[in-house]
Amino acid sequence: MKVLGLSAVDQTRLLRICILGLISIVAIGSRLYSVLRFESVIHEFDPWFNYRTTKYLVHHGFEKFWNWFDESAWYPLGRVVGGTLYPGIMVTSAAIYNALHALNIPVDIRNVCVFLAPGFSALTAIATYQLGKEVKNETAGLLAAAFMGVAPGYISRSVAGSYDNEGIAIFLLVLTFWLWLRAVRVGSAMSAAVCALSYFYMVSAWGGYVFIINLIPLHVCVLLAMGRFSNRLYVAYSTFYALGTLASMQIPFVGFQPTFTSEHMAALGAFGLIQVVAAAYYVRARVTAVQFRTFVACAAVLVAALLACVLVVLSMRGAVAPWTGRFYSLWDTAYAKVHIPIIASVSEHQPTAWPNFFFDLNVLIWLFPAGIYFSFRELSDNHVFLILYSVFAAYFAGVMVRLILTLTPIVCVLAGVAVANVFEAYLSHSPGPGVAQVPRAAIMGA
């Protein structure tokens, strides 16, 4: 039956858009309590510094901001602002401010900063919908978006006035992961380039980009170990790594770190590995099976020996920097207390107490394992990524309470997958196997 002159497909699409709109409204509204109850004000210390640098950017321009030496910060040493921060949130706020003024909409930069995180929470819900849709279907996407919009683990970092890097970074995290899975599915260099552009934005916004540049290479290596090499995977990762690394090096605070720090070596190693695997598949198509086995055995020994020698030499010469103290503390929880007490003194760097998982994730913590179970049942390339993401995010969230923030998106997606599978099983209109369909007339007659 047509409604408003629309077909059934168009009605479904319109309903989906309306649901996403309502989810966005709820996501924004649930973060405005402090403004409605009190006033529009910036909270905490880091947001105030970000707000002050944003005002300087708006009033003095990008070039002066990039070369600004702030005498009042880190007193009495001062601070080279452009080279010691991630400028993504400041540039985003300045761009919104200038766009509104170009449209003759007078708004104070303070209000832009206050409402930036709630606004991006709506975009995060939409990006989560796309990720859920990519790994399952539209139902899972809508459920994941609804969960993401109201999850306390994300609300705590995106309320109005919390003008910190995480306010936009979680949106970019989810967006980058969705674009990566899409690039692997499509196998298009253009899709991978868009993913690299999103990764560049993430690098400019938050130091948590290191999670992305380690998880995506891990996904590639696991797929290669499972024998799932394909031209699509090769094109997606080669394009993403090349463009993403070059783009990330344009941020002064990052600079040449992707070429010599331990946090980025996994990505470089995966890039080299996939080239070797692609060369092996190329040779395999042109030689006999015996010759190919001999070639693979010799090449594997030579490549492993060469990489080991290069890594040892570079480490001894100091060309490859070790892990930073903050990342060491993720693997050894006692490291920071012994060697870097200032890191251990920060409350959000403490190990997570069990009640925090239930307070920040609520009922989603019970749906999370069910989503992992359904991912193992299908185990496509996308589901392999979800499993890897969930395992490592859960571990890091247990080590550092702050990182529940990175766990929340995958919990919401897997919860959406779990509930969508339940809906498919119990709300399906088609009869199950071996079940006779009773005519509608017979039911009405009864």
Side-chain angles (χ1 to χ4, degrees), residues 154-176:
Y154 179 44
I155 290 180
S156 63
R157 289 284 183 165
S158 56
V159 295
S162 181
Y163 183 58
D164 211 348
N165 295 330
E166 294 90 338
I168 67 173
I170 298 304
F171 160 69
L172 298 172
L173 180 82
V174 177
L175 179 67
T176 304

Side-chain angles (χ1 to χ4, degrees), residues 115-401:
F115 294 103
L116 182 71
F120 265 82
S121 69
L123 297 179
T124 305
I126 295 173
T128 307
Y129 162 76
Q130 294 292 349
L131 181 57
K133 177 183 175 183
E134 184 69 33
V135 300
K136 179 65 179 175
N137 53 29
E138 291 85 355
T139 302
L142 288 174
L143 289 166
F147 295 150
M148 192 66 187
V150 296
Y154 179 44
I155 290 180
S156 63
R157 289 284 183 165
S158 56
V159 295
S162 181
Y163 183 58
D164 211 348
N165 295 330
E166 294 90 338
I168 67 173
I170 298 304
F171 160 69
L172 298 172
L173 180 82
V174 177
L175 179 67
T176 304
F177 285 151
W178 164 56
L179 292 173
W180 163 249
L181 294 181
R182 184 176 182 274
V184 173
R185 175 175 59 83
V186 176
S188 167
M190 179 60 70
S191 298
V194 175
C195 179
L197 184 63
S198 174
Y199 169 69
F200 164 67
Y201 193 5
M202 175 67 179
V203 174
S204 72
W206 192 35
Y209 78 90
V210 175
F211 183 62
I212 295 177
I213 203 58
N214 282 276
L215 185 61
I216 288 179
L218 179 63
H219 182 220
V220 172
C221 291
V222 170
L223 291 180
L224 294 179
M226 295 173 67
R228 295 190 179 184
F229 173 83
S230 64
N231 291 333
R232 294 179 290 101
L233 181 64
Y234 177 78
V235 170
Y237 186 70
S238 297
T239 305
F240 166 77
Y241 177 75
L243 296 181
T245 301
L246 290 174
S248 66
M249 293 167 64
Q250 309 310 308
I251 306 299
F253 193 33
V254 177
F256 286 92
Q257 291 183 35
T259 63
F260 67 85
T261 55
S262 298
E263 291 90 344
H264 300 82
M265 288 298 104
L268 178 60
F271 179 74
L273 177 62
I274 201 170
Q275 308 306 319
V276 172
V277 173
Y281 273 85
Y282 176 81
V283 173
R284 181 181 183 180
R286 286 160 175 78
V287 298
T288 63
V290 176
Q291 292 174 330
F292 177 72
R293 284 196 293 268
T294 305
F295 168 78
V296 169
C298 296
V301 173
L302 291 175
V303 170
L306 180 62
L307 289 177
C309 292
V310 169
L311 183 60
V312 170
V313 171
L314 291 178
S315 298
M316 293 177 63
R317 293 173 61 89
V320 177
W323 291 79
T324 61
R326 182 174 296 181
F327 289 101
Y328 269 127
S329 63
L330 293 176
W331 306 108
D332 181 4
T333 55
Y335 179 87
K337 294 181 180 179
V338 176
H339 298 93
I340 314 176
I342 192 172
I343 292 179
S345 67
V346 180
S347 61
E348 63 184 15
H349 293 166
Q350 302 301 314
T352 307
W354 276 109
N356 284 78
F357 287 101
F358 299 95
F359 292 148
D360 289 342
L361 300 174
N362 291 158
V363 70
L364 302 180
I365 198 67
W366 307 106
L367 298 173
F368 178 47
I372 297 178
Y373 165 75
F374 285 116
S375 297
F376 269 108
R377 279 210 320 182
E378 300 184 33
L379 210 62
S380 65
D381 292 352
N382 289 347
H383 293 96
V384 171
F385 179 82
L386 295 183
I387 294 168
L388 292 173
Y389 183 2
S390 61
V391 169
F392 283 91
Y395 168 77
F396 292 135
V399 172
M400 190 178 291
V401 65

